Amino acid sequence: MVNHEVPKEINEFSSPIGGTPQLIINREVTEDLDSTNAFEGPEKLLEVWFSSSASTLPQCAAPNGLKAVAAETWKEMLDLVNCQVLSIVESDNVDAYLLSESSMFVFPHKLILKTCGTTTLLCGLPRILEIAACEAGFPHAAPGAASGIAKAATPYRVFYSRKNFLFPDRQRGPHRSWRDEVKSLDRLFYGGSAYMIGKMNGEHWYLYLTEPNTILTPPATPDRAETETRFIDLPSANLREMRENEAATDDEDETLEILMTDLEEDNARQFYLENAASTAEGKYYQRLANAKKQARDTLEAPAQQGTGFPNLHDSGYISDKASVSNANERDVFDKSSSTPADLLVPSDTEPIPSELATEGHALGTVVSEASGLADVYPTSKYPDARIDAYLFTPCGFSANGVIPAPANSNAAHYFTVHVTPEPHCSFASFETNVPSKQSGRETAEVVEQVVDIFKPGRFSVTLFEAKSVLEDEGGNGSRVSTVRKTSRMDSIRGYRRVDRIVHELQGYELVFRYFERWDWEGGAPRLGEIGF
């Protein structure tokens, strides 16, 4: 079970374990969130790399790269994106920002920003380049006047991707169409490539990426053509070979993304506040009763050495950093007392803490455990793993997880989950960059565990993997293709694979798979956006 304690104050950083991720909660933002109008679950995903790895930062950059940038600076950038920071998990190697609309991860050498709804993610991109130049010290150039910024760091690589929108007509700014998004990216970067992966009249996925050592776009000329979107539906036998001397990237760069729609309605109720509050109430009173029983047993055994009667902290479910002086800052499950007799009050007279009946991090913690998400990367294997979760009103769920790499490594990985459970637009996403060789499990096992949590009618899986990873696993310089390595993923229990598309990109191999449940009777998918 993952360690979920919520600190009593926003500025609490202390930890008994060196290097353990620390949580900071923005209570001003979390006081009045409401997901009633949330409708567009599929997220926009941006990755901006300023170096090929954290160990190859340029000499002019800050020693800790992007992590040198203050949280307030990132919050100001996110205002341009139209989302806010709910909380932050800080660690030595990555800072995980849980947002009102999805997530952001800041590594020394790269930034990952993922936003849903009608957020304007690409509107924040010029400011990200400016922050990397001015605050983190990365090499920069003078951008075109149209960018509206004084300096722009020159990225190593840029990736932008998303699933087809369900409600494209409600998007804003450059996100009204894929063509507009490509134009927006082309205004910043020279020589980018745009792809549409999947069926134009079915479920599909868009990708824009730049080559290594990205060049900023010079001032536009009237006759400069826009980047053409390429359609990728090639079987693996038709892949063309790429250059062998491609630039090295992060040694363990692989990203798994599972995008799920048509969630089973009864199962999706666990992501509603009313259902979660009921679950929390049952757990609260059960644990309270157990604590009182143990206290009663202690009183009946006076010969036992020391006071040492147990309290609800012993379960590992709650924080031991509760404030007894302020009811609003106490641990939501803390009912311990210095007098064991106090625990003998009948449980039905104990009011349930308000935190377990309202939206926020406390119910997010309950849902992450009850749903099984906390067990995807359990603390039995990752003792310093940390989950930061939030449940919205009247429904909706977001969570970030920080998974430290083994002790002999100075890296950290992440996973992020976002759920829109309403039946007419149900959607859930799971993304992680935890390498398969670190998890010790096949990718298919992770996919099956996640799919079993959400029970979608259909879902797509995208695996994006650096070729250096594949070469390592082949041994003696040989390459293991992502298709062969993940062939087990063609058979996910309870689902049939409808599509498998494979493509080689410069430095990466991409495999896209689309599945439908065997007993699915929901008809054709709601496409919303068709083509580009």
Side-chain angles (χ1 to χ4, degrees):
M1 183 162 53
V2 173
N3 178 17
H4 296 289
E5 66 261 25
V6 178
K8 62 185 178 184
E9 296 175 341
I10 188 171
N11 294 320
E12 191 158 9
F13 293 96
S14 61
S15 170
I17 304 175
T20 299
Q22 296 302 296
L23 175 64
I24 303 173
I25 298 176
N26 187 347
R27 299 196 185 280
E28 292 183 3
V29 171
T30 60
E31 284 177 355
D32 193 30
L33 285 175
D34 191 318
S35 66
T36 303
N37 297 318
F39 57 89
E40 186 68 72
E43 300 104 339
K44 314 164 184 83
L45 175 60
L46 173 70
E47 286 196 31
V48 186
W49 294 51
F50 294 96
S51 179
S52 61
S53 71
S55 61
T56 59
L57 298 179
Q59 290 185 346
C60 60
N64 56 346
L66 295 174
K67 278 177 55 58
V69 178
E72 290 302 319
T73 302
W74 293 127
K75 291 176 183 177
E76 171 256 326
M77 179 275 295
L78 290 167
D79 287 341
L80 302 173
V81 180
N82 290 296
C83 62
Q84 296 175 300
V85 175
L86 303 181
S87 52
I88 310 169
V89 174
E90 295 187 330
S91 71
D92 291 340
N93 302 295
V94 60
D95 295 336
Y97 289 69
L98 193 64
L99 308 179
S100 55
E101 284 84 9
S102 298
S103 302
M104 181 173 76
F105 298 90
V106 180
F107 296 80
H109 64 300
K110 65 181 177 182
L111 179 143
I112 300 172
L113 179 57
K114 187 171 191 172
T115 65
C116 60
T118 56
T119 50
T120 51
L121 184 151
L122 290 179
C123 292
L125 180 52
R127 179 61 179 145
I128 291 172
L129 301 180
E130 185 177 39
I131 290 170
C134 299
E135 304 289 334
F138 283 96
H140 59 272
S147 66
I149 56 176
K151 296 179 181 179
T154 52
Y156 172 69
R157 295 201 80 164
V158 177
F159 305 85
Y160 175 72
S161 63
R162 64 172 176 84
K163 179 185 176 297
N164 54 297
F165 289 134
L166 297 177
F167 307 97
D169 56 310
R170 302 183 189 181
Q171 292 298 317
R172 298 180 291 174
H175 299 288
R176 292 187 176 93
S177 72
W178 176 244
R179 186 183 297 275
D180 288 344
E181 290 172 314
V182 171
K183 287 181 179 179
S184 179
L185 290 160
D186 278 348
R187 280 195 289 268
L188 291 170
F189 310 116
Y190 181 75
S193 300
Y195 302 88
M196 191 188 84
I197 302 169
K199 298 177 180 178
M200 180 182 291
N201 61 346
E203 294 281 359
H204 51 275
W205 188 73
Y206 298 101
L207 170 67
Y208 180 100
L209 77 165
T210 65
E211 294 185 355
N213 302 307
T214 301
I215 300 174
L216 296 178
T217 298
T221 55
D223 58 349
R224 183 162 60 85
E226 66 181 74
T227 298
E228 179 184 359
T229 297
R230 308 176 193 178
F231 300 90
I232 303 178
D233 56 1
L234 304 176
S236 56
N238 292 339
L239 295 176
R240 64 186 179 89
E241 291 299 320
M242 305 297 287
R243 295 195 306 264
E244 294 299 328
N245 58 345
E246 292 156 335
T249 57
D250 195 325
D251 288 341
E252 293 185 337
D253 185 30
E254 57 181 281
T255 301
L256 171 69
E257 187 176 41
I258 309 170
L259 306 179
M260 298 162 277
T261 60
D262 304 291
L263 310 182
E264 186 178 275
E265 288 190 36
D266 289 342
N267 184 67
R269 295 299 304 175
Q270 64 187 313
F271 301 104
Y272 282 72
L273 189 143
E274 182 180 3
N275 183 280
S278 176
T279 299
E281 182 178 6
K283 287 180 177 289
Y284 173 79
Y285 284 128
Q286 181 60 54
R287 292 173 190 237
L288 184 62
N290 291 342
K292 290 179 177 181
K293 181 180 182 303
Q294 293 177 42
R296 185 181 299 111
D297 293 343
T298 300
L299 290 176
E300 292 172 354
Q304 202 169 1
Q305 293 296 318
T307 54
F309 68 90
N311 58 47
L312 292 179
H313 295 293
D314 295 335
S315 66
Y317 188 87
I318 61 172
S319 171
D320 52 11
K321 298 179 179 179
S323 169
V324 296
S325 61
N326 187 335
N328 292 326
E329 295 181 348
R330 73 187 177 196
D331 189 313
V332 294
F333 285 111
D334 186 13
K335 283 294 180 180
S336 59
S337 168
S338 59
T339 306
D342 291 348
L343 292 174
L344 301 182
V345 179
S347 61
D348 58 6
T349 67
E350 296 283 354
I352 188 169
S354 60
E355 297 94 324
L356 295 181
T358 56
E359 73 165 62
H361 291 84
L363 281 183
T365 296
V366 171
V367 171
S368 66
E369 283 200 349
S371 65
L373 285 168
D375 298 323
V376 176
Y377 298 108
T379 51
S380 58
K381 184 174 178 64
Y382 306 95
D384 290 337
R386 188 63 191 273
I387 291 180
D388 176 19
Y390 195 98
L391 187 71
F392 295 89
T393 299
C395 63
F397 174 83
S398 288
N400 286 340
V402 174
I403 314 296
N408 59 351
S409 171
N410 61 355
H413 301 100
Y414 71 89
F415 74 88
T416 183
V417 178
H418 303 283
V419 187
T420 301
E422 296 95 325
H424 66 286
C425 58
S426 64
F427 175 83
S429 68
F430 175 91
E431 179 187 339
T432 183
N433 73 338
V434 177
S436 55
K437 66 181 181 181
Q438 179 180 332
S439 69
R441 294 189 293 170
E442 289 189 42
T443 304
E445 294 178 63
V446 177
V447 173
E448 286 181 336
Q449 185 174 2
V450 171
V451 167
D452 189 56
I453 290 170
F454 295 101
K455 304 187 188 318
R458 347 168 189 250
F459 68 94
S460 65
V461 179
T462 304
L463 183 61
F464 206 58
E465 194 162 16
K467 290 182 181 177
S468 58
V469 177
L470 303 172
E471 289 166 357
D472 288 344
E473 298 196 0
N476 300 318
S478 63
R479 291 188 63 250
V480 178
S481 73
T482 303
V483 179
R484 182 155 61 88
K485 177 184 168 187
T486 62
S487 59
R488 158 80 172 77
M489 209 158 62
D490 285 335
S491 302
I492 300 298
R493 287 192 306 268
Y495 292 84
R496 66 183 184 93
R497 179 176 60 78
V498 178
D499 281 331
R500 184 184 70 187
I501 299 170
V502 187
H503 196 68
E504 286 194 12
L505 306 165
Q506 190 170 33
Y508 286 87
E509 196 164 276
L510 181 152
V511 182
F512 171 89
R513 291 176 171 91
Y514 173 64
F515 298 83
E516 288 185 355
R517 201 170 61 225
W518 278 108
D519 61 351
W520 177 249
E521 297 179 352
R526 177 187 178 118
L527 296 179
E529 184 177 18
I530 299 177
F532 59 95

